[in-house]
Amino acid sequence: MLRLDKFLCEMKVGTRSQVKKELKQGFVSVNGTVVVKPEHKVDEKADTIIYKGKELHYKKYAYYMLNKPAGVVSATRDNTCTTVNDLLKDTGYEDLFPVGRLDKDTEGLLLMTNDGELAHRLLSPHKHVAKVYDVELKECLSEEAVRRLEAGVDIGEEHPTLPAKTERLPGNHILLTITEGKFHQVKRMMKAVGNETVSLRRTAMGSLKLDERLAPGEYRELSEEETNALRGGSGQTVTQHKEGGLG
């Protein structure tokens, strides 16, 4: 059972405040009876819910791409900091969670969903997926550093990192592709080759690429094509991030 306002928000009728106005105007009926109370409980699988003459069919899972800004934590709740869930509170979904984590000061692509099965599959520690980061460095990365990163470096773990793909960009930027999710991995990798991370931004995870039209803090729902690619895996898998993220 769901609150009627939550159901309507999940059906993208509008935000909570917009939905309340629609209800007050008598635009919604449940099983043939107009309902104006947002707290009215509905059976999303059995009840017939009509909005402005159109029957709404419940969609259980939601998938959002968030361009996470710096200063926001990858958590569902926090007593002191703004969380990624705070940024998506107008979706109508109260059960969204981040798939993996980014450090507080790391920006970029973060998948938000309530599909636990998909998240579990994506975050399986026995699998790997390519994650791409735009890394701004204190100094230009040397050829020797590139060679070491692409061979795997010692960051104080039992084993060196898996080989990374490194593409040097103008200035002190690189695109770094890794297939692991060790704690603070990117920053530790840069330190291991004698450099320092100035800023970090994730641009892709597996088949999902950051929509560059999204400003930091903005989000959008995934397209059906993007969702299907994630569900299908596109031949790619992902490692679980430890608490605190990859930065």
Side-chain angles (χ1 to χ4, degrees), residues 25-78:
Q25 295 182 63
F27 291 146
V28 181
S29 68
V30 179
N31 298 327
T33 301
V34 172
V35 177
V36 298
K37 294 183 177 180
E39 67 273 17
H40 180 85
K41 295 287 187 178
V42 297
D43 184 337
E44 67 276 11
K45 296 180 180 179
D47 289 342
T48 300
I49 303 171
I50 306 294
Y51 169 65
K52 291 185 176 180
K54 181 180 179 181
E55 184 174 355
L56 302 179
H57 298 281
Y58 182 64
K59 182 173 63 175
K60 184 176 182 180
Y61 296 121
Y63 308 89
Y64 288 91
M65 174 191 301
L66 169 67
N67 186 357
K68 177 192 169 301
V72 175
V73 296
S74 299
T76 55
R77 59 177 62 88
D78 191 283

Side-chain angles (χ1 to χ4, degrees), residues 13 26 59 71-72 93 119 144 148 150 160 163 171 175 200 203-204 234:
V13 168
K59 182 173 63 175
V72 175
Y93 289 90
E144 171 63 15
R148 291 177 61 193
E150 295 189 341
L175 278 184
L200 189 59
T203 60
S234 298

Side-chain angles (χ1 to χ4, degrees), residues 29-226:
S29 68
V30 179
N31 298 327
T33 301
V34 172
V35 177
V36 298
K37 294 183 177 180
E39 67 273 17
H40 180 85
K41 295 287 187 178
V42 297
D43 184 337
E44 67 276 11
K45 296 180 180 179
D47 289 342
T48 300
I49 303 171
I50 306 294
Y51 169 65
K52 291 185 176 180
K54 181 180 179 181
E55 184 174 355
L56 302 179
H57 298 281
Y58 182 64
K59 182 173 63 175
K60 184 176 182 180
Y61 296 121
Y63 308 89
Y64 288 91
M65 174 191 301
L66 169 67
N67 186 357
K68 177 192 169 301
V72 175
V73 296
S74 299
T76 55
R77 59 177 62 88
D78 191 283
N79 293 329
T80 59
C81 300
T82 300
T83 71
V84 291
N85 278 59
D86 291 331
L87 300 179
L88 274 75
K89 61 185 178 181
D90 286 337
T91 63
Y93 289 90
E94 298 176 354
D95 55 352
L96 297 175
F97 56 87
V99 179
R101 295 175 182 272
L102 294 177
D103 284 348
K104 184 177 180 180
D105 61 350
T106 299
E107 301 182 348
L109 175 65
L110 192 61
L111 173 63
M112 302 287 295
T113 186
N114 57 356
D115 187 342
E117 182 179 350
L118 174 65
H120 177 74
R121 188 161 67 248
L122 291 175
L123 297 175
S124 170
H126 304 294
K127 301 178 180 180
H128 304 270
V129 73
K131 294 173 284 291
V132 184
Y133 293 85
D134 182 335
V135 190
E136 181 184 3
L137 297 169
K138 185 176 182 179
E139 301 174 354
C140 185
L141 197 67
S142 67
E143 286 286 355
E144 171 63 15
V146 170
R147 186 194 65 77
R148 291 177 61 193
L149 290 170
E150 295 189 341
V153 294
D154 181 3
I155 59 171
E157 301 279 339
E158 183 178 356
H159 302 287
T161 61
L162 292 177
K165 179 181 178 182
T166 308
E167 178 184 348
R168 290 193 290 185
L169 302 175
N172 292 348
H173 283 259
I174 64 169
L175 278 184
L176 183 73
T177 303
I178 61 176
T179 56
E180 299 173 283
K182 299 181 187 298
F183 182 74
H184 291 327
Q185 181 169 342
V186 175
K187 294 174 183 175
R188 292 164 70 192
M189 290 174 70
M190 297 305 106
K191 185 176 181 180
V193 296
N195 215 316
E196 182 179 336
T197 301
V198 175
S199 66
L200 189 59
R201 178 171 170 263
R202 184 158 69 185
T203 60
M205 184 179 75
S207 62
L208 191 61
K209 293 178 172 55
L210 179 64
D211 188 336
E212 297 295 345
R213 296 171 296 182
L214 294 175
E218 292 185 341
Y219 61 90
R220 68 163 173 81
E221 194 167 10
L222 264 58
S223 68
E224 185 175 354
E225 181 181 5
E226 290 169 328

